[in-house]
């Protein structure tokens, strides 16, 4: 079982859940101004009813100097900020985004089964990518990772599960291609990422996807292929890590995670599967708590 700490803290989380923002929102290189609050009129098209596999295109090309570029303003995690994480080891090992955890003195994993918080520690932070690894005392069975991009096709479906705006939610997307993310602010870096176009999202979810950062991006087979790390509201895009960022992090941390695919995923059935993996604590909310 996961070790608990801090009774009653979730009452405060309810109050701040709606204000959870994704740290490191993507900006176009030529446009550095972003709205100060979520765009209430942003509407994502309804889920497509055509055969999802038929819309796949050519294989994803290798990273190139001609890839699109985007800029992100990195900020360190602060009290009551939140994100998402997912299990990669039954001993209490979790993957998340660097900006969800870095700078936080007290990290907590929300145990949604009994609405308690579990103490977590920062075990690893990537020096070049938006990837971090957390530890807790015990955890669920891990998710399966598929970090081979050789057979990934443009137009492939992506399924992002987590806690956008501090609430359970999910987004369906299609792969556009590669993108070079240039990070400034709390740290600087250049990272190869994957860009996805939104297709649909949870009913009632409007505006920012803040809080989805650190969550798993699945392929249609139910394997994790990346970590959701940023968004571009204006362009309707989601950014995930490329597989090489996760591979390097696991190598640095000397981890070889093995898990099972959650299930074949479809856009018209994602909510049911997402609720199950959150209930099984394979996908959890990560919270930065105030110092004691």
């Amino acid at each position: 079982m996961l070790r608990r700490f801090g009774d009653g803290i979730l009452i405060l989380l309810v109050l701040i859940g709606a204000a959870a923002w994704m740290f490191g929102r993507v900006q176009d290189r030529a446009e550095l101004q972003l709205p100060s609050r979520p765009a209430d009129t942003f509407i994502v098209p309804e889920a497509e009813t055509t055969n999802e596999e038929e819309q796949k295109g050519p294989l994803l090309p290798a990273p190139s100097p001609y890839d699109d570029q985007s800029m992100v303003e990195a900020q360190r995690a602060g009290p009551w900020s939140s994100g998402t994480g997912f299990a990669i080891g039954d001993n209490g090992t979790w993957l998340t985004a660097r900006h969800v955890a870095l700078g936080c003195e007290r990290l907590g994993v929300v145990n949604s089964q009994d609405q308690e918080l579990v103490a977590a520690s920062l075990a690893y932070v990537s020096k070049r990518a938006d990837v971090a690894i957390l530890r807790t005392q015990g955890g669920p069975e891990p998710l399966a990772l598929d970090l081979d991009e050789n057979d990934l096709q443009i137009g492939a479906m992506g399924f992002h599960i987590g806690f956008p705006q501090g609430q359970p939610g999910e987004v369906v997307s299609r792969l556009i291609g590669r993108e070079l993310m240039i990070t400034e602010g709390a740290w600087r870096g250049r990272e190869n990422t994957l860009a996805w176009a939104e297709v649909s999202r949870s009913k009632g979810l409007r505006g920012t996807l803040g809080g989805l950062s650190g969550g798993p991006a699945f392929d249609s087979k139910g394997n994790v292929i990346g970590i959701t790390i940023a968004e571009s509201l204006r362009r309707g895009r989601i950014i995930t890590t490329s597989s090489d960022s996760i591979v390097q992090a696991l190598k640095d941390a000397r981890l070889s995670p093995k898990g099972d695919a959650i299930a074949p995923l479809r856009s018209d059935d994602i909510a049911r599967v997402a609720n199950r993996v959150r209930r099984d604590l394979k996908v959890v909310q990560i919270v930065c708590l105030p110092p004691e």
Side-chain angles (χ1 to χ4, degrees):
M1 294 295 293
L2 302 177
R3 187 181 64 184
R4 303 177 184 173
F5 79 98
D7 292 336
I9 293 180
L10 286 191
I11 295 176
L12 293 175
L13 291 181
V14 173
L15 299 178
I16 55 87
W21 281 74
M22 179 178 295
F23 293 97
R25 293 170 294 165
V26 171
Q27 299 175 331
D28 293 337
R29 187 175 178 84
E31 182 180 347
L32 302 181
Q33 296 292 327
L34 282 180
S36 59
R37 62 184 181 86
D40 296 332
T41 58
F42 181 72
I43 300 175
V44 179
E46 295 294 327
E48 302 175 35
T49 57
T50 55
N51 188 327
E52 294 175 348
E53 297 300 318
E54 290 179 353
Q55 299 188 37
K56 288 185 179 180
L59 291 174
L60 177 70
S64 164
Y66 302 104
D67 289 339
D68 288 345
Q69 296 184 5
S70 58
M71 298 186 68
V72 62
E73 183 71 19
Q75 301 180 38
R76 293 179 178 271
W80 303 121
S81 63
S82 70
T84 302
F86 58 97
I88 59 170
D90 57 10
N91 59 344
T93 306
W94 312 81
L95 266 179
T96 188
R98 173 179 179 173
H99 70 263
V100 169
L102 188 63
C104 182
E105 296 184 19
R106 297 175 64 221
L107 286 164
V109 171
V110 179
N111 184 340
S112 58
Q113 288 185 341
D114 54 16
Q115 295 300 295
E116 296 290 347
L117 282 170
V118 177
S121 60
L122 184 58
Y124 169 84
V125 175
S126 173
K127 294 181 179 180
R128 70 174 191 85
D130 200 352
V131 180
I133 297 173
L134 306 182
R135 295 277 192 183
T136 60
Q137 289 192 352
E141 292 296 317
L143 296 172
L145 305 180
D146 184 354
L147 303 178
D148 183 1
E149 293 179 347
N150 290 329
D151 59 353
L152 193 56
Q153 293 175 263
I154 301 297
M157 301 296 293
F159 302 86
H160 311 262
I161 298 176
F163 294 86
Q165 301 181 20
Q167 302 296 324
E170 49 279 337
V171 179
V172 179
S173 65
R174 283 194 179 277
L175 181 61
I176 299 173
R178 295 192 183 274
E179 192 166 285
L180 178 64
M181 190 168 75
I182 302 172
T183 305
E184 298 180 347
W187 64 84
R188 293 177 177 269
R190 299 166 67 90
E191 177 182 357
N192 291 320
T193 62
L194 301 185
W196 305 75
E198 282 196 41
V199 174
S200 62
R201 56 168 70 181
S202 302
K203 184 178 180 180
L205 177 60
R206 293 289 184 268
T208 179
L209 296 175
L212 193 61
S213 279
F218 293 92
D219 62 14
S220 59
K221 297 178 181 178
N223 299 306
V224 176
I225 57 176
I227 303 171
T228 303
I229 55 175
E231 69 174 334
S232 174
L233 266 178
R234 188 182 66 82
R235 301 174 70 184
R237 288 190 180 185
I238 299 173
I239 307 300
T240 67
T241 59
S242 61
S243 61
D244 64 301
S245 295
I246 300 178
V247 169
Q248 186 62 53
L250 296 176
K251 181 179 179 180
D252 292 345
R254 298 182 180 180
L255 295 174
S256 300
K258 296 181 180 179
D260 296 323
I262 54 174
L265 298 177
R266 306 189 314 271
S267 58
D268 61 355
D269 194 39
I270 182 61
R272 180 186 63 83
V273 179
N275 287 335
R276 175 166 58 82
V277 296
R278 283 188 291 255
R279 183 180 64 248
D280 293 343
L281 301 181
K282 295 185 177 184
V283 177
V284 296
Q285 187 177 16
I286 308 294
V287 180
C288 180
L289 303 171
E292 290 183 311

